[in-house]
């Protein structure tokens, strides 16, 4: 096998039509619609062959004005069993890997799925210093000055005692399988030494976009400030151009806040409404929605009360005045309006461009999106007038992509702690765009938009339940679109259900507002920016989900018209 893997062999494989098709199916390989029909060039720029199976690759994707670099560790093998360790072979894992792999004469799949890859990567990083490496392992020292050092003592203690002393129980589990730009794994091991059991868990986050890594920088700033509500950054695998893999503390949690909100709201709707003899029945105390929320959504309300103040503390600790990239600054309202309006025009142009393809298969929905896009300039001009009366506007580093699934919680006794994850920023932005300072309201707008997503997805689930009970076959998104945008629709949605869901959203928003000090007008503008970002994202990656941000845009226009 080692004789097969060569620079020429890998380069020819990567540029083949079949491999490009495989790439387009990878969840971390973004901008799929812009690169459809494999109409792009792929150029391998760096290659390191680790052994007969594992390679590290950097390649460039380009098409007309589009260009992006990727870091991709890959496995090359004839049979996946050749790279699995003996005690991890099972039929379910093999089936999953076979399904994910590129299946040609040689099988190809991301190397991060394999324990042997991580063993080898940690081993070569500090034992073979004479090896010419694409990446090196660097660990944060115990000081708070942000410097790095090769701490062999810490790696010995942390990474299963050099991975060779008294072979430990060693497990690898993938975390998070949604649409993303990275692969995340939990590495855990148990080792017994002198009647002492060492149980360690770390998170390994492999970034696919090969560009300067803002998450490393943000976590380091928070570490300097001793901010405890984020995973500790232990170290990185660093290349000359990028931190390609972060090693982070694993935080035990009871789940993410989004799941709590989702579960409690769905249980509320399920218990309050039911269908008997094709008639929707609601409980008598629906006229007392506050009591219903206290009965069904007590944990949601408790966590959101804590969340607002935690985000405020996060923002305070992301500022380091001695660092040009992380200091705060004040700008005039005129400068803010100028910058915001130009970004808005750019986002609108992207949305309209992506609507052209969407129009072909969804003409009615696309025309509705276009109609509301045309109303935005009038609404924003009214908000700009309010902004112009402000004395100054503060800009600072923020999370940038803060939603409810990025916040996890842990209960200890009667108290809760909240932790923030994923500081990569908006995956659609370049590093230069991510490092730009923002208004704090942008993070709060993202959080509050999460409530809208949960609300409308809960409504869609209830619509599906209703149509199933009525034994009618309808697409729930079509029913929602008909109800909110068209004059006529066959399946009506109870206004009682919509009223209760709106009350839920408004009540939880109010809880967040109480614990923070935000500008309502800046929050309105940040909400619009977030809605357009969601709309562009859904049009690009998940066209079936475009209804939720469209409904958000409709609401925003009605409030600000």
């Amino acid at each position: 096998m080692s004789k097969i893997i060569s620079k020429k062999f890998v380069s020819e494989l990567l540029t083949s039509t079949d491999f490009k098709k495989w790439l387009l199916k990878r969840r971390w390989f973004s901008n799929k619609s812009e690169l459809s029909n494999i109409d792009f060039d792929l150029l391998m720029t760096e290659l390191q062959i680790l052994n007969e199976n594992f390679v590290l690759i950097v390649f460039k994707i380009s098409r007309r004005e589009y260009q992006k670099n990727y870091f991709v560790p890959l496995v090359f093998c004839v049979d996946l069993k050749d790279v699995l360790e003996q005690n991890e072979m099972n039929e379910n894992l093999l089936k999953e890997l076979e399904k994910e792999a590129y299946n040609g004469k040689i099988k190809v799949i991301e190397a991060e799925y394999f324990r042997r890859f991580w063993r080898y990567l940690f081993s070569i990083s500090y034992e073979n210093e004479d090896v010419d490496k694409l990446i090196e392992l660097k660990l944060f020292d115990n000081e708070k000055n942000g410097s790095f050092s090769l701490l062999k003592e810490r790696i010995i203690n942390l990474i299963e005692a050099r991975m060779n002393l008294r072979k430990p129980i060693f497990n690898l589990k993938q975390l998070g399988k949604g649409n993303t730009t990275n692969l995340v794994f939990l590495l855990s091991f148990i080792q017994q030494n002198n009647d002492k059991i060492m149980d360690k868990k770390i998170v390994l986050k492999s970034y696919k976009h090969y560009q300067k890594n803002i998450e490393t920088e943000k976590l380091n700033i928070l570490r300097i400030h001793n901010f405890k509500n984020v995973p500790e950054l232990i170290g990185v695998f660093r290349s000359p151009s990028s931190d390609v893999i972060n090693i982070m503390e694993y935080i035990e949690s009871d789940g993410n806040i989004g799941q709590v909100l989702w579960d409690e709201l769905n249980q509320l709707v399920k218990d309050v409404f039911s269908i008997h003899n094709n008639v929707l029945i609601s409980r008598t105390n629906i006229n007392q929605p506050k009591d219903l929320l206290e009965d069904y959504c007590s944990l949601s309300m408790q966590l959101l009360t804590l969340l607002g103040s935690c985000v405020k503390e996060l923002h305070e600790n992301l500022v380091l005045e001695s660092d040009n990239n992380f200091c705060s600054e004040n700008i005039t309202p005129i400068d803010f309006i100028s910058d915001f309006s130009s970004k808005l025009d750019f986002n609108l142009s992207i949305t309209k461009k992506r609507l052209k393809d969407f129009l072909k298969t969804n003409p009615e929905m696309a025309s509705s999106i276009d109609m509301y896009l045309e109303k935005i300039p009038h609404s924003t001009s009214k908000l700009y007038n309010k902004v112009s009366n402000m004395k100054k506007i503060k800009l600072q580093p923020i999370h940038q992509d803060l939603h409810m699934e990025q916040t996890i919680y842990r209960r200890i006794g009667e108290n809760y702690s909240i932790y923030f994850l994923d500081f990569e920023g908006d995956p659609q932005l370049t590093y230069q765009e991510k490092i730009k300072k923002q208004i704090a309201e942008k993070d709060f707008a993202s959080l509050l938009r999460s409530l809208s997503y949960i609300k409308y997805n809960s409504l869609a689930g209830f619509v599906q339940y209703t149509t199933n009970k009525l034994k009618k076959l309808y697409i729930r998104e079509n029913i929602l679109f008909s109800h909110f945008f068209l004059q006529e629709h066959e399946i009506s949605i109870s206004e009682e259900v919509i009223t209760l869901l709106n009350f839920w959203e408004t009540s939880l928003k109010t809880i967040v507002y109480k614990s923070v000090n935000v500008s309502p007008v800046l929050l309105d503008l940040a909400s619009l920016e977030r809605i357009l970002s969601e709309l562009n994202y859904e049009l690009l990656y998940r066209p079936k989900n475009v209804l939720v941000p469209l409904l958000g845009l409709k609401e925003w226009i009605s409030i600000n018209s």
Side-chain angles (χ1 to χ4, degrees):
M1 188 69 188
S2 58
K3 294 180 181 179
I4 297 176
I5 296 183
S6 64
K7 184 174 182 180
K8 181 181 178 183
F9 171 81
V10 175
S11 181
E12 288 176 353
L13 176 70
L14 262 58
T15 54
S16 68
T17 298
D18 287 342
F19 186 82
K20 286 183 177 181
K21 289 179 180 178
W22 179 79
L23 265 184
L24 284 169
K25 295 177 182 178
R26 312 319 291 156
R27 63 192 181 90
W28 47 261
F29 191 72
S30 60
N31 294 57
K32 294 176 176 59
S33 66
E34 293 187 25
L35 303 176
S36 60
N37 302 320
I38 61 169
D39 182 20
F40 58 87
D41 295 321
L42 189 155
L43 176 65
M44 183 173 69
T45 58
E46 303 218 35
L47 171 69
Q48 183 183 352
I49 299 174
L50 300 180
N51 60 18
E52 67 271 17
N53 294 113
F54 299 117
V55 301
L56 303 178
I57 300 171
V58 177
F59 59 75
K60 181 190 294 184
I61 297 291
S62 56
R63 176 182 180 269
R64 299 187 183 95
E65 297 179 359
Y66 175 88
Q67 183 173 301
K68 189 166 287 188
N69 295 309
Y70 287 88
F71 168 79
V72 188
L74 289 176
V75 164
F76 290 79
C77 61
V78 176
D79 191 329
L80 291 174
K81 292 180 181 179
D82 296 339
V83 283
L84 287 170
E85 294 186 346
Q86 193 62 40
N87 61 351
E88 69 175 327
M89 287 192 198
N90 64 72
E91 289 302 316
N92 289 335
L93 178 61
L94 276 171
K95 285 180 181 177
E96 186 67 25
L97 292 175
E98 286 283 359
K99 185 174 70 175
E100 294 292 328
Y102 164 80
N103 285 288
K105 292 181 180 179
I106 300 295
K107 295 183 186 298
V108 183
I109 190 172
E110 295 96 326
E112 294 95 333
Y113 287 104
F114 298 88
R115 298 194 315 210
R116 279 183 176 164
F117 169 71
W118 294 109
R119 288 185 191 277
Y120 191 81
L121 205 59
F122 281 112
S123 173
I124 67 165
S125 295
Y126 56 82
E127 290 185 355
N128 303 325
E129 296 297 335
D130 58 330
V131 176
D132 183 23
K133 297 179 288 292
L134 174 59
I135 60 175
E136 286 187 316
L137 174 63
K138 300 238 177 208
L139 298 172
F140 279 107
D141 60 24
N142 293 323
E143 300 175 8
K144 294 181 181 179
N145 59 9
S147 63
F148 285 90
S149 61
L150 283 168
L151 297 180
K152 294 185 180 181
E153 294 79 14
R154 189 169 183 186
I155 203 69
I156 288 171
N157 291 329
L158 183 65
I159 311 299
E160 63 166 74
R162 278 189 185 248
M163 304 230 182
N164 56 24
L165 299 177
R166 292 192 184 182
K167 200 101 171 168
I169 299 171
F170 179 49
N171 292 311
L172 188 67
K173 176 185 176 183
Q174 187 178 5
L175 302 176
K177 297 185 180 181
N179 293 311
T180 184
T181 56
N182 52 57
L183 289 176
V184 185
F185 290 86
L186 174 65
L187 176 67
S188 58
F189 50 89
I190 301 174
Q191 185 174 29
Q192 187 167 346
N193 281 324
N194 300 325
D195 298 324
K196 287 186 176 182
I197 295 178
M198 180 178 70
D199 186 359
K200 296 288 185 182
K201 294 180 180 179
I202 57 173
V203 172
L204 302 163
K205 189 170 185 179
S206 179
Y207 303 92
K208 296 306 178 187
H209 289 176
Y210 192 63
Q211 63 177 11
K212 198 170 180 182
N213 190 333
I214 195 171
E215 182 163 37
T216 306
E217 298 179 59
K218 286 183 178 179
L219 288 177
N220 187 39
I221 296 294
L222 294 170
R223 187 180 66 89
I224 290 171
H225 286 141
N226 202 28
F227 184 70
K228 299 296 186 183
N229 299 74
V230 293
E232 179 191 359
L233 180 62
I234 298 166
V236 300
F237 284 97
R238 173 170 285 179
S239 79
S241 302
S242 175
D243 297 333
V244 293
I245 299 172
N246 271 2
I247 308 166
M248 294 181 284
E249 168 196 17
Y250 175 69
I251 298 176
E252 298 281 355
S253 75
D254 294 300
N256 68 71
I257 294 179
Q259 192 64 51
V260 173
L261 301 178
W262 171 256
D263 290 342
E264 289 192 339
L265 178 60
N266 283 341
Q267 193 63 50
L268 166 63
V269 174
K270 179 181 177 182
D271 287 358
V272 169
F273 299 101
S274 58
I275 293 178
H276 295 286
N277 298 323
N278 293 341
V279 177
L280 182 68
I281 306 296
S282 60
R283 281 171 44 173
T284 53
N285 63 343
I286 193 174
N287 293 322
Q288 298 173 312
K290 185 177 179 181
D291 293 339
L292 286 173
L293 254 62
E294 290 176 353
D295 290 341
Y296 282 89
C297 303
S298 58
L299 182 54
S300 297
M301 296 165 76
Q302 195 171 349
L303 289 174
L304 289 189
T305 300
L306 180 61
L307 180 60
S309 58
C310 286
V311 176
K312 184 178 179 182
E313 188 179 352
L314 169 68
H315 287 159
E316 291 170 354
N317 283 277
L318 275 171
V319 175
L320 185 64
E321 297 297 357
S322 60
D323 188 319
N324 287 335
N325 285 336
F326 287 90
C327 63
S328 62
E329 62 181 76
N330 293 317
I331 62 171
T332 66
I334 294 175
D335 288 338
F336 173 82
I337 292 170
S338 174
D339 183 61
F340 185 91
S341 60
S342 50
K343 284 193 296 184
L344 180 63
D345 290 342
F346 177 73
N347 288 333
L348 284 172
S349 66
I350 292 176
T351 307
K352 290 177 180 179
K353 179 182 176 182
R354 290 176 182 167
L355 271 176
K356 292 180 180 179
D357 292 332
F358 192 70
L359 180 64
K360 298 173 185 176
T361 52
N362 304 270
E364 289 182 328
M365 196 177 294
S367 61
S368 294
I369 298 174
D370 195 49
M371 177 181 71
Y372 284 102
L373 293 179
E374 295 301 322
K375 295 181 179 181
I376 287 175
H378 173 70
S379 299
T380 51
S381 64
K382 294 170 64 176
L383 294 174
Y384 291 158
N385 288 335
K386 294 179 181 179
V387 171
S388 63
N389 293 324
M390 300 173 70
K391 291 183 179 180
K392 61 182 180 180
I393 295 172
K394 181 182 177 181
L395 302 182
Q396 68 158 90
I398 61 171
H399 184 285
Q400 283 193 6
D401 192 27
L402 191 60
H403 52 78
M404 297 297 179
E405 289 187 349
Q406 308 277 45
T407 56
I408 58 176
Y409 71 98
R410 186 178 184 185
R411 179 175 179 173
I412 302 176
E414 296 301 314
N415 299 316
Y416 291 91
S417 294
I418 287 176
Y419 302 89
F420 302 103
L421 306 177
D422 294 341
F423 285 80
E424 296 175 66
D426 188 334
Q428 300 180 75
L429 301 181
T430 64
Y431 173 82
Q432 288 71 25
E433 291 168 324
K434 290 177 182 180
I435 206 68
K436 286 188 68 174
K437 300 174 182 68
Q438 310 282 346
I439 51 173
E441 282 81 1
K442 188 170 180 176
D443 273 348
F444 288 107
S446 299
L447 283 173
L448 298 179
R449 282 295 305 153
S450 295
L451 298 178
S452 180
Y453 261 78
I454 293 169
K455 177 182 75 172
Y456 282 118
N457 278 303
S458 182
L459 179 59
F462 181 77
V463 167
Q464 191 70 63
Y465 161 78
T466 303
T467 55
N468 289 345
K469 281 285 186 179
L470 296 176
K471 295 182 170 53
K472 294 187 177 182
L473 297 176
Y474 288 95
I475 299 173
R476 63 187 193 177
E477 285 77 14
N478 290 350
I479 296 172
L480 289 177
F481 180 75
S482 297
H483 180 89
F484 288 102
F485 293 97
L486 303 180
Q487 298 298 319
E488 298 179 0
H489 39 269
E490 291 186 57
I491 301 292
S492 61
I493 303 175
S494 168
E495 288 299 327
E496 283 186 322
V497 178
I498 296 173
T499 299
L500 179 61
L501 290 172
N502 286 336
F503 180 83
W504 171 86
E505 182 184 19
T506 302
S507 299
L508 296 190
K509 279 184 176 181
T510 302
I511 290 172
V512 177
Y513 287 145
K514 285 181 179 178
S515 57
V516 297
N517 182 25
V518 296
S519 162
V521 63
L522 293 181
L523 187 62
D524 272 344
L525 288 171
S527 297
L528 172 63
E529 187 176 39
R530 180 68 182 189
I531 289 169
L532 287 177
S533 176
E534 292 167 354
L535 195 54
N536 281 326
Y537 184 89
E538 304 297 9
L539 284 169
L540 187 60
Y541 298 114
R542 305 183 300 186
K544 290 182 179 179
N545 292 357
V546 78
L547 181 63
V548 175
L550 175 56
L551 286 166
L553 181 59
K554 182 177 184 293
E555 285 184 3
W556 189 92
I557 292 294
S558 65
I559 292 170
N560 292 285
S561 60

